[in-house]
Amino acid sequence: MADIAQAAKTAVQDIGKRIPRPQSVGNYLLSRLHELGCNVVFGVPGDFNMEFLDQIEDFDGISWGYNANELNAGYAADGYARVKGGGGKDGMGVGAVCTTFGICTLFPNYSLFLVEQHLANLTVYEGVGELSCVNAIAGSEAELVSVVHIVGTPSTVSQADGAILHHTLGNGDFNVFARMYKEVTVAQASITPENAASEIDRVLRLCVLKRRPVYIALPTDVAAKTIVADMKPLDLRRDVNPKDAEDEAVKHLLAILEKAERPAILVDGCCQRWHVESQVRKFVEKSGFPVFSAPMGKSVVSEFHAQYRGAYVGEHTPKPIRDELESRDVLLMVGAIKSDFNTGGFTFHVKPESLIELHSSYCKIFHATYNVGFEGVLRKLTERITHRPWALPAAFEPGTPGVREDSATDITQTFFWTELGKHLAVEPYCVVAETGTSSFGASALKMPRGSRFVSQVLWGSIGYAFAASLGTALAGRELESPLRTVLITGEGSFQLTAQEMSTFLRHKLTPIILIINNDGYTIERYIHGETREYNRTAMWKYARSLDYYSVDQDKATYPRFGLQQRIVKKQDVAGALSRAFQEKDAIHVLEIVMDKMDAPQGMVKTAAKTRAENKYNGDS
């Protein structure tokens, strides 16, 4: 093992030296992942990936994730990639997950459509495998997250023979699962010793440049095969805008912006996905324009910045913020993602003749479209625009109002989010919020520069946040300025991915875990079935989760346990939050008990629109 470890260390040291040298296929892949800022591979062992897992365990600079199941591992890789996006080569880190071939323990509802397209009569076996991860990878595809899914497959000999192996369909087709993944990844590769270096480089490059997941099939007898490969750095240069087209677009933009009487900027999710946050901030500073954010663009600009005006979610926006944005004669929208939850149910009310959109591959100026991406355009705009300071009234402070009136004793949504916001405003944190009550509540809280906000607004897979926060916590620990993770999730969502609590302990992570217990799926109750039993989850002792997932024999390896508290009364909230935020060397679990029909008003309005769209109105 010492020889393997030394070979792995040498592989890392050789990156950038252009030294063709013998090394295993597995070590070549790991060296490339490390080059991209990936220091952990999440996943679960299975018989077809374990030769490669030996190499991961012996590789200097990459650790193993120790996940409870593959779905959680995929979520963790997604969360890791979102935070490490600012920490990898050229600011483009990736996440990685490794599973074995085929079977699944779980069939997430969101991935069934893929399975049904290809396997109408699939028998589901208990066990580990790549199919458990497909939902997580589909979410990364939808939300533009760079995740590498490595699948240990049967040996090349077994595949060539068409062997009837376990974890297969018994028909000799070893490519059926890869064909499924073709629907939710930007590139795929089946690795052989002959193509290993070129194929690994190809898919990893596309993973970074396209901001989407990729799929690598690594046969169990190929991982340890020796190859000789040139270790020059990956070519991650992005396409440069044609100079004449870019200059024409910038000239057009400057002419409009410098004549505008009430211009403003609206930042959205693709600013983060394509890592142009710093360019956006420079443009905001240089222009002096007021700036707003869409939900998926939260934390791109400090929400305490003098020019920041608030979050815009269409008709769900507080009236003062909505009136201010919609009255602008020119709105420059950067990195728009026009999904339903991100736009208040498609209720953006900005006139086309006032709207300018800058995207990663094109820019739309009113009714004219230029095939140039926003990175070069933003840089030139910042250099050339004339700064105009604007006299802005005091920013409206919306908070997160709930539907229940405040109470002297009970914890209401309005009260809780106000108390939590006091702590998140003090210093940067990575806030991970589950879709539903948690994301709608947290999205209105003001966060300072350097903060990260992670929420799966588009894909919206329930249970995502808890497992993703494992990835954000590991990534946050690796950053030059470390970020502590604050997780906010509902008790129903927590039940789907709770197994990763043991993985938090194994990695000695110290997040603050806030579990909102409102006795079931509140967002679903507002959509349909307010009194139906299917919207109520079985009750757990959520605040005692650390006790359940810890054992005496491993306690010496755990982080310090902080608060494990079930909070029912309003008077106990402030003290518990203060202690959790002050004790940074401990992991805390706070169960916050609220009324089952109390919810952020933005969520209630969104659910009402969804309910109306889903309502059966009779045969046409």
Side-chain angles (χ1 to χ4, degrees), residues 470-505:
L470 170 67
T472 69
L474 283 167
R477 192 163 66 181
E478 297 174 8
L479 298 179
E480 185 176 346
S481 298
L483 277 181
R484 188 184 189 190
T485 286
V486 177
L487 166 70
I488 314 164
T489 188
E491 92 284 6
S493 299
F494 175 72
Q495 288 196 11
L496 273 78
T497 51
Q499 308 96 320
E500 294 309 319
M501 186 70 81
S502 60
T503 317
F504 277 95
L505 301 181

Side-chain angles (χ1 to χ4, degrees), residues 175-367:
N175 296 315
V176 62
F177 308 123
R179 293 200 298 273
M180 290 184 192
Y181 270 93
K182 190 174 182 180
E183 301 291 335
V184 293
T185 56
V186 71
Q188 309 80 35
S190 181
I191 303 303
T192 68
E194 293 75 24
N195 72 13
S198 61
E199 281 294 89
I200 289 169
D201 289 0
R202 178 182 67 84
V203 296
L204 292 184
R205 183 172 181 273
L206 288 171
C207 181
V208 171
L209 295 182
K210 299 294 185 181
R211 309 303 199 277
R212 283 183 168 87
V214 296
Y215 178 96
I216 296 177
L218 182 62
T220 184
D221 60 339
V222 169
K225 290 286 181 68
T226 299
I227 60 172
V228 178
D230 188 340
M231 288 305 299
K232 66 180 179 180
L234 289 172
D235 181 4
L236 298 178
R237 291 172 295 178
R238 285 164 280 185
D239 292 337
V240 177
N241 292 330
K243 183 178 182 304
D244 290 346
E246 183 177 87
D247 286 342
E248 184 178 336
V250 170
K251 182 180 178 180
H252 191 178
L253 284 166
L254 286 171
I256 293 168
L257 295 175
E258 291 181 353
K259 289 180 181 178
E261 296 181 359
R262 287 176 52 79
I265 302 165
L266 177 63
V267 296
D268 206 346
C270 279
C271 295
Q272 295 173 320
R273 300 300 188 268
W274 295 88
H275 307 306
V276 295
E277 298 103 314
S278 61
Q279 291 97 311
V280 170
R281 293 177 193 131
K282 289 174 183 177
F283 177 65
V284 168
E285 293 280 352
K286 179 68 181 297
S287 69
F289 295 171
V291 60
F292 301 78
S293 65
M296 292 181 76
K298 185 174 177 64
S299 78
V300 171
V301 176
S302 167
E303 289 154 347
F304 291 93
H305 194 287
Q307 293 162 235
Y308 185 75
R309 309 303 296 156
Y312 179 69
V313 201
E315 292 178 357
H316 303 162
T317 311
K319 191 173 187 302
I321 298 174
R322 180 181 170 188
D323 289 347
E324 185 177 349
L325 181 138
E326 292 177 358
S327 65
R328 298 287 164 178
D329 61 341
V330 175
L331 181 67
L332 185 70
M333 191 172 185
V334 187
I337 300 177
K338 297 180 180 178
S339 68
D340 51 357
F341 279 16
N342 200 43
T343 61
F346 307 115
T347 61
F348 268 27
H349 294 295
V350 179
K351 298 176 182 178
E353 58 269 24
S354 301
L355 183 61
I356 296 171
E357 298 182 41
L358 305 187
H359 293 275
S360 61
S361 59
Y362 71 96
C363 296
K364 187 175 181 182
I365 305 174
F366 303 154
H367 299 291

Side-chain angles (χ1 to χ4, degrees), residues 7 84 89 117 178 202 219 221 259-260 276 318 331 347 404 412 461 471 475 479 503 506 520 548 591:
K84 280 301 293 286
K89 179 178 173 62
Q117 284 183 15
R202 178 182 67 84
D221 60 339
K259 289 180 181 178
V276 295
L331 181 67
T347 61
R404 266 195 70 184
T412 63
S461 187
L479 298 179
T503 317
R506 190 164 187 173
Y548 178 79
E591 176 188 351

